[in-house]
Amino acid sequence: MLRIRQNLPPVSVEHTAKKLDESICLIDLDQFQDYWQVSQSDLALLTDAPIDTVKSWFRANPSRRLHPNYQHLHRLALAHKYWLLRLTQ
């Protein structure tokens, strides 16, 4: 399971997605990584994307680099908001 830098319990994004979805703002992949310490495999789990897709977001050659789609960024935003709420409780 995923654990964030602050050592909170494991997260289930699907469980709280409906509650959080009402006021969600997308977060950029770089912003998400700056805030949370997650691996590429963690990102794959969070975004429900294959690991090869996630690896394509980090290719060294910018002309071959792909970017997360709306669904991926939405799922990252849900995780970000959920974890922030957990930190303030």
Side-chain angles (χ1 to χ4, degrees):
M1 291 298 272
L2 299 173
R3 291 186 187 275
I4 61 173
R5 187 177 303 187
Q6 288 79 5
N7 296 321
L8 291 178
V11 166
S12 172
V13 174
E14 297 298 329
H15 177 69
T16 58
K18 291 181 182 177
K19 294 178 188 176
L20 297 174
D21 201 38
E22 298 168 359
S23 62
I24 201 77
C25 294
L26 294 183
I27 186 169
D28 183 73
L29 179 60
D30 293 331
Q31 292 172 322
F32 187 85
Q33 285 201 293
D34 287 344
Y35 206 92
W36 308 106
Q37 185 179 11
V38 293
S39 66
Q40 289 184 7
S41 59
D42 292 338
L43 286 170
L45 290 172
L46 281 171
T47 60
D48 196 30
I51 189 67
D52 290 335
T53 299
V54 173
K55 287 180 180 181
S56 72
W57 302 340
F58 299 95
R59 287 184 181 148
N61 183 348
S63 65
R64 298 199 66 229
R65 189 177 303 146
L66 299 178
H67 300 283
N69 65 27
Y70 176 84
Q71 180 184 6
H72 299 140
L73 296 176
H74 185 258
R75 291 178 62 88
L76 289 179
L78 287 173
H80 179 70
K81 186 169 183 179
Y82 177 76
W83 287 341
L84 286 176
L85 289 172
R86 292 293 303 259
L87 286 175
T88 59
Q89 289 180 352

